[in-house]
Amino acid sequence: MKSQHATFPLVVVSNRLPVDRIVAEDGTASWTQSPGGLVTALEPVMRVNHGAWVGWAGAPDLDVDPFENNGISIVPVPLSGEELENYYEGFSNGTLWPLYHDVIAPPRYHREWWDTYLAVNQRFAEVAARTAAHGGVVWVQDYQLQLVPRMLRGLRPDLVIGFFNHIPFPPYGIYSQLPWRTQIIEGLLGADVIGFQRAADANNFTTAVRRLLGYNTNSPHIEVPVDRDLQDAGLASHVSTSKRGETVRTVIAKRFPISIDTQSFEEMARRPEVQERARQIRVDLGNPRTIMLGVDRLDYTKGIGHRLKAYGELLTEGRLNVEDVTLVQVASPSRERVAAYQDLRDEIELQVGRLNGEFSTISHNALSYHHQGYPREEMVALYLAADVMLVTALRDGMNLVAKEYVASRFDNDGVLVLSEFAGASDDLKQALLINPHDIEGLKETILQAMAMPARDRARRMRALRKRVRDNDVTKWSKSFLDALTEASSLAHAPRFKSIHDD
Ligand code: G6P
């Protein structure tokens, strides 16, 4: 363990750090900020507070000293190859990810994966405990680190602890499969505020707490009995007495739907060179009347196969003509060492090959498929070029691509087809909402989107844009941090500043 002296009033903990390590040809390494929305949202508040970010540096066995990047202190947590296999590829992405996404793929339960998940969560908790200042705020992110809140509370009862779950939380009938269901719930309840994407996720969690632990709940509050040891040692903070006469902490579990940095997407879309690129994309695709677009990590939760099936049937039935329409599918590589992802890639690429083989002409491709990630400029140009955006997730915590498309369409044009199983559908009601399992319904909706008159497109897009403008990621982080401040003010004076205090 490294010795580390500096401590910080605000600490964010996530599996991945918000920086990527670039190694040049001569072997020298440098760091660049990753493009994610989370870091964009938290950057201002982290800067004002001299915040620190604790996370894995993105490669096995990378043991790097803490450093500063763009005014944020970066505190790397080293993970070995074997730990990554068991904790990241195994328990996080082979057990929790499919379980939390409605068991679309079968979750695998391995005790050695769990043991490593426990050990790695403990390491993250210890690093966070060494990094946070007295009475500070620690905000833990996502399903890879669900045990950290409780472990951290055990190490540092003075801290105010938040947790945000970026993915769905499943109904109890599914969640209860997990052999370690009680430990996970107890792990999360170490936090003062637990955030979810949708009201349904918060309800599912609260139900699991009631069923497994029998605690009192009165949404959004959960009464958690305080460990006797902590009370005796005088270490329990902001406690009260419940109606049953127990000493309890009150934990808040509720919806905080995440968003994007809306303004930066719009600004990028307005740049002349990005618009020129969008025009060029249309020309390069053979000037089809309709460009449809799918943008996803190549993940089985995204319903890419359902989308291709609906599209293929429309072509087969002659209701679409390859001269008139192209589907651009960007499927960025993801979790490529996990078997279910390798199988999915084979399935999707077989489907893509078949469709192109059957329907493409020399001048027009049915599908333009890209197993690559692109810089944000190129994505925004694609959004501008796309007449119809297809988001057909079978289950998705939020789906930020839907929001990015809307944010980019400053021209109030384009039609968003959006799965009701994505959290974004709670907010984006003016999209054409679909059930991706209903292939006939999906086909009809694709045709409806293509035929929608310009006035209807503009009316819907204006309403969608208002939602995404009014609810951007800065508002999201502020509302979560405000909830934490409120929790902390029960026991301490708030010790960190909101960006809006300045
Ligand atoms: C989802 C998860 C994130 C994760 C991201 C990319 O959005 O909620 O926690 O970072 O996918 O997945 P990866 O496994 O590459 O980190």
Side-chain angles (χ1 to χ4, degrees), residues 15-16 56 88 93 97 141-144 166-167 297 302 333-335:
N15 174 53
R16 274 181 200 280
W56 168 53
Y88 169 71
N93 292 313
W97 182 269
Q141 310 288 329
D142 228 357
Y143 64 103
Q144 303 93 342
H166 292 249
I167 70 172
R297 273 186 312 102
K302 304 291 184 183
S334 184
R335 304 175 191 162

Side-chain angles (χ1 to χ4, degrees), residues 38-350:
L38 187 60
V39 58
T40 318
L42 295 178
E43 214 182 12
V45 73
M46 296 283 273
R47 279 224 193 94
V48 171
N49 287 286
H50 310 290
W53 200 305
V54 170
W56 168 53
D61 295 311
L62 203 58
D63 198 357
V64 196
D65 283 328
F67 60 95
E68 199 174 299
N69 187 275
N70 267 343
I72 301 176
S73 289
I74 301 288
V75 185
V77 179
L79 295 175
S80 71
E82 194 184 336
E83 283 169 339
L84 284 168
E85 238 171 72
N86 291 334
Y87 147 78
Y88 169 71
E89 285 146 21
F91 199 76
S92 297
N93 292 313
T95 306
L96 294 172
W97 182 269
L99 182 75
Y100 282 31
H101 287 88
D102 286 357
V103 297
I104 294 166
R108 296 167 58 199
Y109 303 115
H110 291 302
R111 282 162 283 183
E112 63 275 27
W113 289 0
W114 163 254
D115 291 342
T116 313
Y117 184 81
L118 202 74
V120 169
N121 271 247
Q122 185 68 39
R123 183 172 316 146
F124 273 83
E126 281 164 12
V127 177
R130 276 187 277 132
T131 307
H134 183 78
V137 168
V138 178
W139 189 3
V140 183
Q141 310 288 329
D142 228 357
Y143 64 103
Q144 303 93 342
L145 300 174
Q146 292 174 97
L147 303 177
V148 170
R150 181 170 204 232
M151 291 170 165
L152 190 53
R153 184 165 295 282
L155 294 164
R156 290 286 306 275
D158 59 296
L159 296 175
V160 179
I161 303 171
F163 180 90
F164 185 75
N165 197 52
H166 292 249
I167 70 172
F169 195 90
Y172 188 69
I174 291 179
Y175 179 74
S176 55
Q177 284 186 16
L178 186 65
W180 308 278
R181 59 196 187 187
T182 309
Q183 290 96 314
I184 294 273
I185 294 283
E186 286 175 338
L188 291 168
L189 287 172
D192 296 290
V193 178
I194 310 173
F196 296 92
Q197 302 280 26
R198 307 180 89 162
D201 300 321
N203 288 340
N204 289 342
F205 173 74
T206 307
T207 303
V209 170
R210 270 201 309 271
R211 297 284 295 268
L212 292 168
L213 299 170
Y215 295 168
N216 265 345
T217 65
N218 183 8
S219 179
H221 298 118
I222 301 173
E223 289 181 352
V224 179
V226 174
D227 290 352
R228 209 31 53 232
D229 307 358
L230 287 185
Q231 282 181 57
D232 292 348
L235 288 173
S237 55
H238 49 282
V239 295
S240 58
T241 307
S242 74
K243 281 192 203 137
R244 297 180 193 161
E246 288 170 311
T247 306
V248 292
R249 292 166 43 233
T250 300
V251 173
I252 294 174
K254 63 178 240 203
R255 157 181 200 259
F256 293 88
I258 200 169
S259 192
I260 56 164
D261 47 332
T262 311
Q263 204 186 331
S264 79
F265 277 90
E266 170 155 358
E267 277 168 16
M268 192 170 277
R270 285 183 184 275
R271 292 206 327 234
E273 69 277 16
V274 174
Q275 291 174 45
E276 179 49 36
R277 175 70 191 138
R279 277 191 289 274
Q280 190 60 45
I281 287 171
R282 184 171 286 273
V283 172
D284 291 349
L285 289 170
N287 250 324
R289 194 177 311 154
T290 305
I291 297 174
M292 295 202 281
L293 176 65
V295 173
D296 312 84
R297 273 186 312 102
L298 188 43
D299 194 296
Y300 50 80
T301 57
K302 304 291 184 183
I304 302 171
H306 293 63
R307 187 181 312 165
L308 296 183
K309 189 171 174 55
Y311 182 55
E313 287 189 14
L314 287 170
L315 288 167
T316 307
E317 291 160 10
R319 296 162 84 188
L320 286 183
N321 183 334
V322 76
E323 306 282 324
D324 298 331
V325 60
T326 294
L327 171 54
V328 179
Q329 176 65 53
V330 176
S332 53
S334 184
R335 304 175 191 162
E336 291 186 285
R337 289 163 50 92
V338 178
Y341 289 73
Q342 293 162 0
D343 294 347
L344 175 76
R345 181 173 179 193
D346 289 346
E347 277 166 36
I348 295 298
E349 294 187 352
L350 185 69

